[in-house]
Amino acid sequence: NPRQFQKGGQLVINDKQNTMWGNAINVPLSTMPLMFGKVACTLVVQIGEEGFDVFLEGVHCARLEHRWDWGVLKEILEEGEKKKVGRGSLMLQLPSSDDYGNPENWMVYRVWWGRKKSMAGDLDGVAGVNIYSAVHPRKLFLSNLPKLRTDPELDLRRAELERAFRKYGGPSGAVLVSVQKHSSIAFVEVASEQLADLALVQMAGKYRITKARRTKHEALMEERAKKEKEGGGGGGKESVDWD
């Protein structure tokens, strides 16, 4: 999604799963080949084991790493091959308007797909390479809830969710519930990743529910805790790079 008026011009690359947007990759348009004002340009998207590599006029602009586990995806693809049902569908979809509602007209001169040797070379400086996973393993995101307008409603919602998700709180039954006024969403943090996955299945009929995204602070704190546990200490430069 090229946004020529956002922060001096940004190319925004993202994924959407179960109506929820992921962690966006923002690439300054000033670092990319010219695209606005030209009659035509060539866009190449290569799909590999690492993710989706995006090239504009032959320049490697960004990589959107797979946000599903590649091992799971590979099993699905291999099973599809055995059953002769193919490898799934690819779709090229061009928006009819920009982010501001202005109509956009497109002229597609040629579309090609097939096998091609990877165009990726030196990955140093390529946006989106080796970014930290943004999915929180234990936190759930609930949406489309009735809006809360008063403090008593807030207390009732918190108590309702604590009761509903108690069985996913481990031996103590404790879950962390976060709700806010004038909001139709809530967050519930359970005891483990396995219990979060179980809740996604068992509570899907009652709530609109997905895995929540980590905040930058949460990711940094988890990385720091991991280093300390491994004996690396908490000092030095953080290795988590966020776009």
Side-chain angles (χ1 to χ4, degrees):
N1 185 354
R3 301 177 182 174
Q4 57 180 319
F5 302 114
Q6 177 178 315
K7 297 181 180 178
Q10 299 276 324
L11 177 68
V12 181
I13 303 173
N14 209 341
D15 74 318
K16 194 176 188 181
Q17 297 181 26
N18 298 321
T19 73
M20 186 176 177
W21 286 104
N23 182 40
I25 299 169
N26 298 308
V27 188
L29 293 181
S30 59
T31 65
M32 301 174 59
L34 183 67
M35 69 173 78
F36 290 101
K38 292 186 65 176
V39 175
C41 58
T42 301
L43 172 70
V44 176
V45 179
Q46 286 195 304
I47 308 171
E49 291 194 8
E50 298 299 325
F52 299 82
D53 285 310
V54 180
F55 302 84
L56 184 67
E57 301 288 48
V59 177
H60 195 180
C61 300
R63 171 178 288 176
L64 181 68
E65 295 181 339
H66 291 298
R67 294 179 177 183
W68 285 70
D69 182 80
W70 176 251
V72 174
L73 286 176
K74 197 170 182 181
E75 286 179 11
I76 293 172
L77 296 177
E78 289 173 352
E79 188 65 24
E81 287 284 297
K82 291 176 185 176
K83 295 180 178 179
K84 306 297 183 184
V85 296
R87 289 179 173 267
S89 301
L90 290 175
M91 180 184 294
L92 173 65
Q93 185 175 10
L94 305 175
S96 58
S97 64
D98 63 17
D99 286 352
Y100 311 99
N102 302 313
E104 288 189 325
N105 296 316
W106 298 82
M107 177 70 74
V108 179
Y109 294 96
R110 186 174 65 170
V111 177
W112 178 91
W113 66 94
R115 296 184 181 275
K116 182 179 176 67
K117 185 178 178 180
S118 175
M119 297 167 57
D122 184 6
L123 299 177
D124 187 33
V126 176
V129 173
N130 294 326
I131 65 172
Y132 202 90
S133 172
V135 177
H136 197 295
R138 295 180 289 106
K139 187 182 286 188
L140 304 170
F141 174 74
L142 282 64
S143 58
N144 278 16
L145 300 169
K147 274 195 174 182
L148 304 175
R149 306 190 183 281
T150 66
D151 288 333
E153 288 177 336
L154 203 70
D155 293 336
L156 284 172
R157 170 70 53 75
R158 188 179 292 109
E160 171 205 335
L161 294 178
E162 286 175 349
R163 285 195 301 271
F165 288 88
R166 182 177 299 158
K167 61 182 177 180
Y168 308 109
S172 66
V175 295
L176 182 62
V177 175
S178 176
V179 292
Q180 294 181 346
K181 265 188 188 179
H182 309 294
S183 174
S184 59
I185 66 172
F187 294 93
V188 179
E189 188 169 339
V190 300
S192 68
E193 184 174 2
Q194 291 74 21
L195 287 171
D197 292 336
L198 185 62
L200 283 175
V201 175
Q202 295 182 344
M203 303 300 282
K206 188 173 182 180
Y207 298 102
R208 188 173 183 177
I209 182 173
T210 62
K211 281 280 185 77
R213 301 286 178 179
R214 281 185 178 96
T215 64
K216 296 180 183 181
H217 177 73
E218 286 172 333
L220 290 170
M221 291 301 100
E222 288 179 17
E223 181 77 0
R224 185 171 297 159
K226 182 180 177 181
K227 283 183 179 180
E228 291 176 351
K229 186 176 180 180
E230 293 173 350
K237 183 181 178 182
E238 296 290 353
S239 62
V240 181
D241 185 22
W242 288 84
D243 290 299

